[in-house]
């Protein structure tokens, strides 16, 4: 599994920079920052699963998971071949910080949760320009197709604090997830000026999920989610303020679904994972 994860980590997916009119054999290196709101499917699934447990004993859990907020950041590297037909890029979004609150009530109990979240997104993509087909349709000069792989790791250290008439009770839970998302997509890159380029692209793929949960007794359970689909889209404004420097301002959306039940429950629940927000990237070409 560790060797597989390393391979997948290298074969992860990022939205490729539109290096319009770049030099022959262009290499790029820089960093990307994504300020995002995040509705975590894992937290939503866990909330629903706990609710199933309460209903099994005749209690009703009324709770609300607030939308999380935070950022992802890390280095990016890429390459475009001499003709500009092929481009490759890799992003290692290994720095993150997200916060999310979960509160609720169950009969006479009050629930308040402390969540420590760690997330990493590793992305790789290969892009092919359709400009060689512009003789049949001139607009293909600005179009491209891409294929890639996103590898996402998630870890949650949670403490469920129950305030009851008999006193306060705390239960620790650990959740770990790995999400593999092979993706294909289509994009358009349109230069509005020599040093200003607009980009728009979207993709669809699979979400292959491994999920483990450690309960308060120290037992680790492997959850078996069904595979689902993933979707992503990004609009970008690419600027070349000085020679060899590309600044990309973007707006990115990503979603996938988690369909699973824990070994202790019979009911299977479905949750949607959504990350959305602006991005900024600085890369140097050489």
């Amino acid at each position: 599994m560790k060797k597989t994860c390393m391979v997948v980590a290298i074969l992860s997916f990022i939205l490729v920079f539109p290096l319009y009119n770049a030099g022959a054999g262009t290499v790029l290196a820089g960093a990307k920052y994504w300020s995002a709101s995040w509705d975590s499917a894992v937290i939503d699934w866990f909330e629903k699963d706990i609710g199933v447990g309460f209903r099994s004993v005749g209690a009703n859990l009324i709770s609300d998971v607030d939308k999380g907020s935070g950022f992802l950041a890390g280095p990016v590297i890429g390459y475009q071949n001499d003709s500009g037909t092929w481009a490759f890029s890799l992003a290692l979004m290994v720095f993150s910080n997200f916060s999310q609150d979960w509160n609720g009530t169950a009969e006479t109990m009050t629930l308040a949760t402390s969540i420590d979240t760690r997330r990493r997104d590793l992305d790789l993509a290969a892009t092919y320009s359709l400009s060689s087909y512009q003789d049949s349709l001139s607009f293909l000069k600005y179009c491209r197709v891409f294929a890639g792989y996103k590898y996402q790791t998630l870890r949650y250290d949670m403490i469920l604090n129950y305030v009851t008439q008999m006193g306060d009770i705390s239960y620790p839970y650990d959740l770990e997830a790995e999400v593999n998302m092979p993706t294909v997509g289509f994009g358009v890159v349109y230069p509005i000026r020599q040093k200003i380029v607009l980009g728009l692209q979207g993709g669809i793929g699979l979400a292959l999920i491994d999920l483990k949960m450690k309960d308060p007794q120290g037992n680790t359970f492997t959850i078996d989610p069904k595979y689902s689909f993933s979707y992503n889209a990004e609009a970008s404004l690419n600027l070349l303020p000085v020679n060899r420097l590309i600044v990309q301002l973007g707006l990115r959306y990503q979603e996938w679904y988690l369909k699973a039940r824990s070994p202790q429950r019979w009911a299977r629940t479905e949750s949607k994972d959504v990350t959305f927000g602006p991005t900024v990237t600085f890369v140097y070409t050489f």
Side-chain angles (χ1 to χ4, degrees):
M1 177 60 71
K2 289 184 178 180
K3 291 183 179 179
T4 302
C5 291
M6 287 297 294
V7 172
V8 173
I10 296 173
L11 297 176
S12 5
F13 160 79
I14 190 176
L15 300 177
V16 178
F17 291 96
L19 298 180
Y20 189 77
N21 287 334
T26 302
V27 176
L28 64 86
K32 184 168 187 172
Y33 179 89
W34 187 7
S35 176
S37 66
W38 180 26
D39 285 339
S40 169
V42 174
I43 296 297
D44 185 71
W45 168 82
F46 185 73
E47 177 200 21
K48 292 177 179 178
D49 192 69
I50 291 292
V52 171
F54 272 102
R55 287 194 297 272
S56 68
V57 295
N60 187 31
L61 174 64
I62 302 174
S63 63
D64 179 43
V65 178
D66 295 335
K67 184 177 293 186
S69 61
F71 72 87
L72 286 161
V76 295
I77 57 174
Y79 173 77
Q80 184 182 55
N81 72 344
D82 293 352
S83 64
T85 304
W86 287 96
F88 307 88
S89 67
L90 171 68
L92 304 173
M93 308 288 278
V94 295
F95 304 103
S96 69
N97 183 29
F98 285 94
S99 61
Q100 192 166 10
D101 297 323
W102 172 19
N103 299 284
T105 60
E107 307 302 328
T108 60
M109 292 187 296
T110 299
L111 170 65
T113 305
S114 171
I115 307 174
D116 179 21
T117 304
R118 279 158 283 178
R119 171 175 169 174
R120 292 181 176 179
D121 288 26
L122 309 177
D123 306 312
L124 172 85
T127 300
Y128 178 74
S129 172
L130 300 179
S131 60
S132 59
Y133 301 97
Q134 60 183 301
D135 290 342
S136 57
L137 181 61
S138 60
F139 188 72
L140 291 178
K141 175 181 179 181
Y142 309 110
C143 298
R144 58 189 178 161
V145 293
F146 64 84
Y149 216 112
K150 170 181 282 293
Y151 175 68
Q152 188 177 91
T153 63
L154 309 168
R155 180 165 181 174
Y156 306 86
D157 295 328
M158 297 189 297
I159 299 178
L160 274 61
N161 302 302
Y162 294 97
V163 179
T164 72
Q165 295 176 343
M166 303 297 293
D168 298 351
I169 308 173
S170 296
Y171 294 109
Y173 286 87
D174 292 334
L175 293 168
E176 294 186 15
E178 296 179 353
V179 189
N180 301 292
M181 287 175 277
T183 306
V184 295
F186 177 83
V188 177
V189 175
Y190 188 80
I192 58 176
R193 290 188 180 181
Q194 184 177 3
K195 295 185 177 182
I196 302 178
V197 180
L198 296 178
L200 179 64
Q201 58 187 24
I204 183 173
L206 295 177
L208 310 173
I209 308 163
D210 291 323
L211 178 59
K212 293 182 179 180
M213 179 178 68
K214 185 176 180 181
D215 67 12
Q217 289 73 43
N219 302 310
T220 299
F221 299 94
T222 298
I223 315 302
D224 185 23
K226 290 186 174 181
Y227 80 90
S228 65
F229 291 99
S230 65
Y231 309 93
N232 65 79
E234 184 168 9
S236 63
L237 174 65
N238 302 269
L239 310 171
L240 286 76
V242 296
N243 188 35
R244 297 189 178 276
L245 176 66
I246 299 175
V247 179
Q248 183 187 75
L249 306 176
L251 190 62
R252 187 175 183 183
Y253 178 88
Q254 175 185 297
E255 76 172 50
W256 51 269
Y257 291 82
L258 174 60
K259 304 175 184 180
R261 67 175 177 85
S262 69
Q264 302 100 319
R265 325 289 187 204
W266 288 105
R268 183 182 296 273
T269 63
E270 178 177 332
S271 300
K272 181 168 69 171
D273 192 280
V274 175
T275 310
F276 174 74
T279 64
V280 58
T281 310
F282 298 89
V283 295
Y284 184 79
T285 67
F286 53 93

